[in-house]
Amino acid sequence: MRSRSSNSASPALVLGALGGLIFLHAPIWIIFLYSFTTDEATYTFPLPGFTTKWFGVALQRADLWSALSLSLKVAVVATAAALVLGTLAAAAVYRSNFFGREAISLLLVLPIALPGIVSGIALRSAIGTLDIPFSYWTIVIGHATFCVVTVYNNVLARFRRMQGSLVEASMDLGANSFQTFRHVVLPNIATALVAGGMLAFALSFDEVIVTTFTAGQQSTLPIWIFSQLVRPRDRPVTNVVATIVVLITFLPIFFAQRISASSADTEGETK
Amino acid sequence: MLNRLSTYLYRRPRLVLGLLLGPPLLYFVVVYLGSLFALLLNSFYYLEEFTGLVVRQFTLTTYAKLFTPTNLGIFFRTASMALTVTIADAIIAFPLAYYIARFAPKKIKTYLYIAVTIPLWSSYLVRVYAWKLILAKEGIVSWFFNLFGLQFILDKILSIPVIGGSSLSLSPIGMFIAFCYIWLPYMIVPIQTALERVPKSLLEASSDLGANPAQTFRQVLLPLAFPGVVAGSIFTFSLTLGDFIVPQVLGNSRFFIGQAVYTYQGTAGNIPLAAAFTMGPIVIMIVYLLIARKLGAFDAL
């Protein structure tokens, strides 16, 4: 009896892995395909015909533009808040060994670890109990809570990889804390900030569950899509919007993942 | 001036810690923990049926409403869905995670990893929508079955009581497929992490001692990967439990927990009942996390 070499995968395993990968990605391609359909009322496959006119139609829709601009405005401010709060928390946890350090990490992860509906209804209860009117800021505050953790994780991981001696050398050479931060720490964590920020942006731009509870009558792009999914009125336009959303979020996520993956690689090499 | 401030701060690490930690901690304690507290508080209020207003007075009547057969049915239905989705995802995720962890060449590995994690962050809603297209009565799946003259199999599946429906896009089976699809990356990543920690020498030792590959897999690799599976299951289970998008888009009139919460707080304006309902998944998750910790899932995260 000959045992298989441990360096090559069995055909069954390759097939299973490939199947998993296709299952993970093929549905998105189907959405792209459907954004070119001539079919207005159903989801008929094979597509009865191809057209690009729905992209033009979507561009004319005022409701879409206002939803898109609200989503962008929310994502930008929520990301900015996440960058500041996440970096501060990461710096605090990295620098000192204080009581309750583990609890901080747990607290920051909670908004994405708990079922989305819990955070949503919790914020909704607070808004209701305090009689706060729904506004742009209720959405932003909700989004910032679950965006902080992406920045925090990325920056903390980078801090742990950074050599502490760099900071000490800078101080020894006469730089004060602010100069050290500006010229030594910041360049070191810059790409981690970019990666965390882009993930936070994508997360916020795409979020629907918490937003449903904090938006009131306002419509972000995901809320617009959700209303179309429940009561389809403009199917072809929805297909186009879905395609555009995927494209808008794909690039920042892809680059963020590249940054995290490549810095993890260099880490492996120095060991 | 800055130099003096710098020196001043350098001598007071506690103050610096306070300055760093203050803003994020304040934000999370006030906004997030505050909201969770408001949630708990609201679950002890009740809605006056005639006026439709929330009465802010301590009562357990809202909780009592959870124990009607309809509502218990909702909890049971949601938990069973979460459990089946979790098991199915573990099975689908394993080959891909195993391949990435052990066999993928270094260059491809990075891209495979990115291919798995991109869906984690992107277009959740759009990915649910994709299944509405695919599973529609006139969509790809039906077309595929028709192509081979297998329509009768699809009809048979859809006629199964409880999990069937008028079309795949309006049935628990459709929801099940969509849930499996959406949460799959959450299962792949922890399993892959767990598998990567298994030293190669351990597998070689097993085969040196006479185990065939199947035995090595079952008796060495699988037990060591199990904490990863449990870690992944925390996400798949919790996320299915709290989701209302998939049931709303692909489900039928039988409610799931997320939908119930969404509906009660929305049209009915009954935040207390929605809040009490939310305690269901919270309690289920706490129990689940305690079990997961026993099984060593937290070391695999």
Side-chain angles (χ1 to χ4, degrees):
Chain A
M1 200 179 94
R2 190 177 60 96
S3 79
R4 195 182 294 120
S5 147
S6 63
N7 284 323
S8 65
S10 73
L13 179 64
V14 174
L15 216 63
L18 205 63
L21 208 59
I22 291 172
F23 181 55
L24 213 49
H25 288 276
I28 296 291
W29 309 333
I30 287 163
I31 294 236
F32 290 167
L33 189 68
Y34 267 91
S35 60
F36 297 102
T37 186
T38 49
D39 185 3
E40 281 184 55
T42 63
Y43 299 122
T44 305
F45 189 89
L47 308 186
F50 282 87
T51 173
T52 51
K53 78 167 175 179
W54 302 117
F55 285 87
V57 174
L59 288 179
Q60 304 292 324
R61 294 278 298 256
D63 57 336
L64 271 175
W65 281 107
S66 70
L68 176 67
S69 97
L70 180 61
S71 280
L72 288 175
K73 278 187 221 154
V74 168
V76 166
V77 176
T79 304
L83 282 172
V84 174
L85 297 176
T87 308
L88 286 175
V93 166
Y94 172 70
R95 276 176 56 104
S96 354
N97 212 341
F98 55 91
F99 177 73
R101 213 171 78 148
E102 296 299 311
I104 298 287
S105 298
L106 185 68
L107 183 61
L108 298 188
V109 179
L110 221 48
I112 57 169
L114 282 177
I117 195 122
V118 175
S119 306
I121 191 70
L123 287 163
R124 176 76 185 82
S125 310
I127 290 168
T129 308
L130 301 173
D131 288 322
I132 301 168
F134 290 112
S135 71
Y136 165 73
W137 290 104
T138 52
I139 307 180
V140 170
I141 286 172
H143 281 207
T145 54
F146 59 78
C147 285
V148 169
V149 69
T150 65
V151 177
Y152 170 80
N153 277 344
N154 269 283
V155 173
L156 186 60
R158 184 63 56 87
F159 272 142
R160 290 197 168 134
R161 251 175 248 145
M162 201 171 92
Q163 281 157 351
S165 55
L166 275 179
V167 172
E168 284 162 23
S170 162
M171 304 286 264
D172 285 348
L173 292 169
N176 65 35
S177 314
F178 304 102
Q179 287 167 326
T180 304
F181 177 77
R182 165 80 185 73
H183 297 290
V184 178
V185 179
L186 204 55
N188 262 295
I189 65 169
T191 53
L193 285 175
V194 172
M198 285 194 289
L199 287 182
F201 184 89
L203 215 54
S204 161
F205 186 75
D206 195 46
E207 213 285 337
V208 65
I209 293 189
V210 173
T211 319
T212 319
F213 293 97
T214 56
Q217 298 301 314
Q218 306 165 86
S219 182
T220 62
L221 201 55
I223 288 186
W224 187 91
I225 299 175
F226 180 52
S227 70
Q228 288 288 338
L229 295 197
V230 179
R231 272 179 294 278
R233 282 178 300 256
D234 312 283
R235 293 182 197 226
V237 176
T238 312
N239 296 338
V240 168
V241 172
T243 302
I244 292 171
V245 168
V246 172
L247 294 177
I248 290 182
T249 49
F250 175 80
L251 284 179
I253 299 164
F254 180 76
F255 285 117
Q257 299 287 8
R258 274 297 298 269
I259 291 169
S260 317
S262 64
S263 59
D265 281 353
T266 46
E267 149 84 344
E269 277 155 21
T270 52
K271 260 184 188 168
Chain B
M1 174 59 199
L2 274 180
N3 273 323
R4 284 180 52 197
L5 183 60
S6 171
T7 316
Y8 179 84
L9 289 174
Y10 187 77
R11 293 203 177 135
R12 289 165 186 78
R14 293 253 136 219
L15 176 65
V16 175
L17 179 63
L19 287 175
L20 290 175
L21 202 54
L25 199 61
L26 199 70
Y27 186 88
F28 267 79
V29 168
V30 172
V31 174
Y32 199 67
L33 292 186
S35 296
L36 286 176
F37 180 70
L39 176 72
L40 189 67
L41 209 61
N42 267 279
S43 68
F44 291 109
Y45 295 158
Y46 68 99
L47 189 84
E48 176 63 59
E49 304 266 339
F50 300 109
T51 57
L53 291 174
V54 174
V55 180
R56 294 177 183 177
Q57 215 166 44
F58 179 85
T59 173
L60 288 173
T61 52
T62 309
Y63 275 103
K65 284 197 182 126
L66 293 185
F67 295 93
T68 62
T70 323
N71 287 341
L72 288 177
I74 294 177
F75 283 119
F76 178 74
R77 192 174 305 131
T78 313
S80 333
M81 177 64 87
L83 196 65
T84 7
V85 167
T86 298
I87 294 168
D89 265 347
I91 295 168
I92 305 171
F94 204 92
L96 188 53
Y98 188 40
Y99 182 79
I100 298 176
R102 300 216 72 89
F103 300 107
K106 198 170 187 312
K107 182 95 188 150
I108 299 175
K109 190 170 171 159
T110 311
Y111 282 97
L112 279 178
Y113 183 75
I114 293 173
V116 169
T117 47
I118 278 181
L120 269 182
W121 303 101
S122 77
S123 318
Y124 156 77
L125 203 53
V126 171
R127 297 193 308 129
V128 175
Y129 180 49
W131 286 98
K132 197 161 176 82
L133 298 178
I134 297 168
L135 298 174
K137 226 184 177 82
E138 66 278 8
I140 292 180
V141 172
S142 296
W143 169 80
F144 188 80
F145 273 93
N146 272 324
L147 201 63
F148 297 98
L150 299 171
Q151 187 61 40
F152 68 97
I153 297 182
L154 194 60
D155 291 338
K156 198 136 218 160
I157 296 173
L158 283 174
S159 66
I160 302 172
V162 183
I163 60 167
S166 60
S167 92
L168 277 177
S169 64
L170 288 171
S171 69
I173 302 175
M175 287 171 55
F176 167 76
I177 297 172
F179 272 134
C180 285
Y181 165 71
I182 291 172
W183 311 136
L184 184 60
Y186 290 91
M187 187 59 99
I188 297 175
V189 174
I191 297 182
Q192 184 209 335
T193 312
L195 284 172
E196 259 166 16
R197 286 190 196 152
V198 178
K200 229 178 183 156
S201 54
L202 217 58
L203 304 179
E204 285 162 4
S206 163
S207 104
D208 286 349
L209 291 168
N212 64 36
Q215 283 172 322
T216 305
F217 179 78
R218 202 169 319 124
Q219 295 182 358
V220 180
L221 202 63
L222 213 53
L224 288 170
F226 190 68
V229 177
V230 179
S233 79
I234 295 172
F235 292 104
T236 56
F237 195 83
S238 151
L239 291 166
T240 311
L241 220 50
D243 189 274
F244 67 85
I245 305 290
V246 172
Q248 194 81 359
V249 174
L250 297 167
N252 49 29
S253 57
R254 291 155 166 269
F255 267 19
F256 279 68
I257 293 177
Q259 261 172 312
V261 172
Y262 174 67
T263 312
Y264 287 138
Q265 68 84 34
T267 44
N270 195 345
I271 296 181
L273 188 55
F277 233 100
T278 314
M279 293 304 152
I282 293 180
V283 169
I284 297 175
M285 272 327 288
I286 290 173
V287 173
Y288 199 90
L289 287 172
L290 289 176
I291 299 172
R293 204 165 80 159
K294 275 241 152 109
L295 296 171
F298 290 103
D299 310 325
L301 276 176

Short mmCIF file of all heavy atoms in Angstrom, two decimals, chain A residues 48 119 122 176:
data_model
loop_
_atom_site.label_atom_id
_atom_site.label_comp_id
_atom_site.label_asym_id
_atom_site.label_seq_id
_atom_site.Cartn_x
_atom_site.Cartn_y
_atom_site.Cartn_z
N PRO A 48 -33.92 37.50 -22.59
CA PRO A 48 -34.55 37.65 -23.90
C PRO A 48 -33.74 38.54 -24.84
O PRO A 48 -33.83 38.40 -26.06
CB PRO A 48 -35.91 38.28 -23.59
CG PRO A 48 -35.85 38.73 -22.19
CD PRO A 48 -34.76 38.00 -21.50
N SER A 119 -27.89 45.37 17.56
CA SER A 119 -27.39 46.74 17.56
C SER A 119 -28.44 47.70 17.02
O SER A 119 -28.62 48.80 17.55
CB SER A 119 -26.13 46.84 16.68
OG SER A 119 -25.19 45.89 17.08
N ALA A 122 -31.27 48.16 19.50
CA ALA A 122 -30.75 48.86 20.68
C ALA A 122 -30.67 50.36 20.41
O ALA A 122 -31.14 51.17 21.22
CB ALA A 122 -29.37 48.32 21.05
N ASN A 176 10.50 65.36 19.96
CA ASN A 176 9.49 65.25 21.03
C ASN A 176 8.38 64.29 20.59
O ASN A 176 8.38 63.78 19.47
CB ASN A 176 8.95 66.64 21.41
CG ASN A 176 8.18 67.30 20.27
OD1 ASN A 176 7.50 66.63 19.50
ND2 ASN A 176 8.31 68.62 20.18
#
